Amino acid sequence: MSTYALTDSWTMTRRELAHWARQPVQVVVNLVFPVMLLLMFGYLIGGGRGVQGSYIDYVVPGMLALTMAFGLEGTMIAVTQDLNKGVVDRFRSMPMANGAVLVGRSVADMLQSALALFVLMGVGYALGWRADGGPGAFLGAVGLLLFFRFAMLWIGIHLALVAGKPEMVQAVQILVWPIGFLSNALALPETMPGWLGTVVEWNPMSHTATAVRHLFGGTGTEHVAAAIVWPSVLLAVFFPLAVRRFARLSR
């Protein structure tokens, strides 16, 4: 990407960050929601059938992965609003790199996702969860989680461009939910019916959740490759689809 395109993308990122100051409630809700889920599954619902050791050690990495799959609707709605309010048309009339609007949206989303990760880790630490794998494994786990978020983000952006209108985002986002709930984030596949357990084991998010559990727990890196390959495949499919769709809509 040229310096010109990077400058335009950073300008669009600062535009998105300025929205945070004007809409602090939405930012807070996005941070609090995964914390509520962690407390609910960790204490109210419990779970952990078949899990060896503490369920908190199992569910916290799973919730971190689940958080990276959910919460896309804010960015998806913002993309459709820009299209419907003519914001993209105004930007297109300026000497701006094509796609800088989408890049700005994605960078702002990634910054909020990173913040949400560390907030949830702090809550997990208060509940007794510990990352025992060392600094390198910790950074590797965080990198895998953010990489998975980046891949999910471009799926969301593409779906938003297909939906075209903010009111359609809720219906389209339902397509993302199976990736989150049909996973091993909250329960072991071995405790599920055979066919469902197979689906869960093939879920890309399950690979990320398993990899970060092992990295945080210091029990190996054998699942890291799959946690890299799956998001790479998703990015290879949905990133060009989103960019192409945006280019067609912007004509």
Side-chain angles (χ1 to χ4, degrees), residues 30 32-33 43-44 57 88 111 117 120 148 181 210 226 230 235:
N30 289 336
V32 171
F33 181 68
Y43 286 109
L44 296 180
D57 290 335
V88 172
L111 290 174
L117 268 185
L120 197 58
F148 178 68
F181 285 118
T210 300
W230 271 111
L235 268 177

Side-chain angles (χ1 to χ4, degrees), residues 35-251:
V35 172
M36 293 174 60
L37 284 181
L38 175 58
L39 294 174
M40 181 176 67
F41 282 101
Y43 286 109
L44 296 180
I45 296 178
R49 187 159 56 97
V51 173
Q52 300 296 321
S54 170
Y55 183 57
I56 289 296
D57 290 335
Y58 182 89
V59 78
V60 169
M63 280 301 309
L64 293 173
L66 194 64
T67 301
M68 296 297 95
F70 285 178
L72 299 170
E73 66 274 5
T75 295
M76 293 170 69
I77 290 174
V79 169
T80 57
Q81 287 176 336
D82 280 351
L83 291 172
N84 285 273
K85 291 179 179 179
V87 174
V88 172
D89 292 333
R90 291 197 294 272
F91 286 146
R92 193 176 58 219
S93 66
M94 302 176 183
M96 178 181 293
N98 187 34
V101 176
L102 295 185
V103 174
R105 289 284 185 195
S106 65
V107 173
D109 185 285
M110 292 301 295
L111 290 174
Q112 182 166 345
S113 297
L115 179 60
L117 268 185
F118 286 104
V119 168
L120 197 58
M121 286 180 189
V123 175
Y125 191 88
L127 297 179
W129 170 76
R130 297 292 182 270
D132 299 321
F138 179 87
L139 292 176
V142 171
L144 288 178
L145 289 165
L146 291 176
F147 186 42
F148 178 68
R149 174 63 175 195
F150 192 61
M152 292 298 300
L153 177 60
W154 283 96
I155 295 176
I157 290 175
H158 175 65
L159 292 177
L161 294 172
V162 171
K165 297 181 179 180
E167 56 268 24
M168 291 295 295
V169 166
Q170 290 286 357
V172 173
Q173 196 202 13
I174 293 176
L175 300 175
V176 179
W177 290 2
I179 296 179
F181 285 118
L182 293 178
S183 72
N184 66 358
L186 306 173
L188 287 169
E190 293 84 352
T191 64
M192 305 173 187
W195 65 271
L196 183 59
T198 301
V199 171
V200 166
E201 288 177 347
W202 277 94
N203 187 336
M205 202 188 84
S206 293
H207 293 287
T208 296
T210 300
V212 299
R213 279 193 190 100
H214 286 277
L215 287 173
F216 282 137
T219 56
T221 60
E222 63 271 16
H223 298 279
V224 170
I228 294 174
V229 170
W230 271 111
S232 298
V233 171
L234 295 176
L235 268 177
V237 173
F238 286 97
F239 180 83
L241 284 176
V243 172
R244 195 176 302 122
R245 180 84 182 186
F246 181 77
R248 286 203 301 268
L249 292 174
S250 300
R251 288 172 185 166

